[in-house]
Amino acid sequence: ALALVATGDLAGRHVVVSAGGTREPLDPVRFLGNRSSGRQGVALAAAAAARGAQVTLVGANLSVPAPAGVELVTVGTAAELREAVRAAAKVADVVVMAAAVADYRPVNPAGTKLKKTGAPPTIELVETVDILAELGHDRLRDSQVIVGFAAETGDAAASVLEHGRAKARRKGADLLVVNAVGDGQGFGTADNAVTILDGTGEIVSEAAGSKDVVAHAVWDVVRTLV
Ligand code: CTP
Ligand code: CA
């Protein structure tokens, strides 16, 4: 018999990666969604598997295939993603929240298709649970490393980095991967540039290039913490 033993600097580690974008139903055929393709999360899962980790990929509406050698858990909504991530996180050394999770969902999705009435409806929304902040708060497992992603644009109030620092402090995660979006950067593009912050908002690493390069840069930092 041939014994297969994982090698690589993440061998023996169990990691959970969420990827893609959630869809929150309005009725059986319509949803509130976002443009996330899941490419960065899939690249993170593939890179972790290549480095020897046991990988659970929680995928929400992925527009790219899951990599070979990872366990795929398919979800649709933010609530489903939360349940799947929390279940997998109970036995994980690392959780990476790369998914674009809806901030709000329709309060009462209709059971049957909404009909046009001539009077445009007002759709009542309710906030979803912040899964990343909840993981950071609950700490389901001792010495678990929790990583968030933040796509930011600068605005009148603050720069990309200032928004990132504030988010890093607010989330209670160990690392926050910040990338600038807008002007052709980020969503749906092949290359990006990221700044990796610790939970206090200090810069611990920077990387630029393909989503694969960014993924390995994230694992390089995580590796120092697990
Ligand atoms: N996130 C989450 N649950 C949510 C919303 C976001 O776990 N309900 C996670 C994302 O997966 C990501 C991180 O939080 O890892 C940052 O997401 P982002 O949308 O940038 O942060 P928000 O706190 O939602 O702030 P805002 O959208 O107002 O910038
Ligand atoms: Ca958000």
Side-chain angles (χ1 to χ4, degrees):
L2 179 67
L4 290 177
V5 177
T7 55
D9 64 356
L10 293 172
R13 304 297 196 279
H14 184 177
V15 311
V16 178
V17 178
S18 71
T22 68
R23 292 180 178 179
E24 311 305 320
L26 285 155
D27 71 10
V29 296
R30 305 186 183 94
F31 56 84
L32 290 181
N34 62 71
R35 295 185 192 282
S36 176
S37 65
R39 278 189 187 84
Q40 183 64 75
V42 165
L44 281 154
R51 294 169 74 145
Q54 182 191 335
V55 182
T56 302
L57 175 63
V58 179
N61 308 293
L62 300 178
S63 34
V64 291
V70 312
E71 182 199 358
L72 176 66
V73 179
T74 299
V75 298
T77 65
E80 290 166 7
L81 191 132
R82 176 183 175 218
E83 286 316 309
V85 166
R86 286 179 66 83
K90 290 196 176 94
V91 293
D93 302 295
V94 185
V95 183
V96 181
M97 285 296 299
V101 184
D103 291 332
Y104 306 101
R105 66 173 173 82
V107 181
N108 290 314
T112 53
K113 190 182 170 197
L114 296 168
K115 301 303 287 179
K116 190 161 60 175
T117 63
T122 298
I123 296 161
E124 199 185 335
L125 302 178
V126 62
E127 202 164 334
T128 60
V129 173
D130 188 326
I131 304 162
L132 180 66
E134 186 182 53
L135 288 169
H137 177 264
D138 291 358
R139 294 281 160 182
L140 296 171
R141 197 160 181 237
D142 283 347
S143 63
Q144 183 174 75
V145 176
I146 299 169
V147 184
F149 267 73
E152 301 286 349
T153 64
D155 56 30
S159 68
V160 167
L161 193 58
E162 286 163 348
H163 279 302
R165 281 190 207 286
K167 195 167 282 180
R169 295 183 186 123
R170 190 167 73 233
K171 290 285 186 172
D174 301 297
L175 297 170
L176 187 73
V177 183
V178 180
N179 77 309
V181 291
D183 295 331
Q185 304 172 88
F187 278 90
T189 64
D191 289 85
N192 51 2
V194 299
T195 303
I196 305 178
L197 306 178
D198 69 15
T200 72
E202 288 299 309
I203 296 174
V204 293
S205 184
E206 288 176 298
S210 67
K211 289 187 159 59
D212 194 48
V213 166
V214 168
H216 279 287
V218 171
W219 294 121
D220 286 345
V221 176
V222 169
R223 177 68 192 91
T224 67
L225 303 174
V226 290

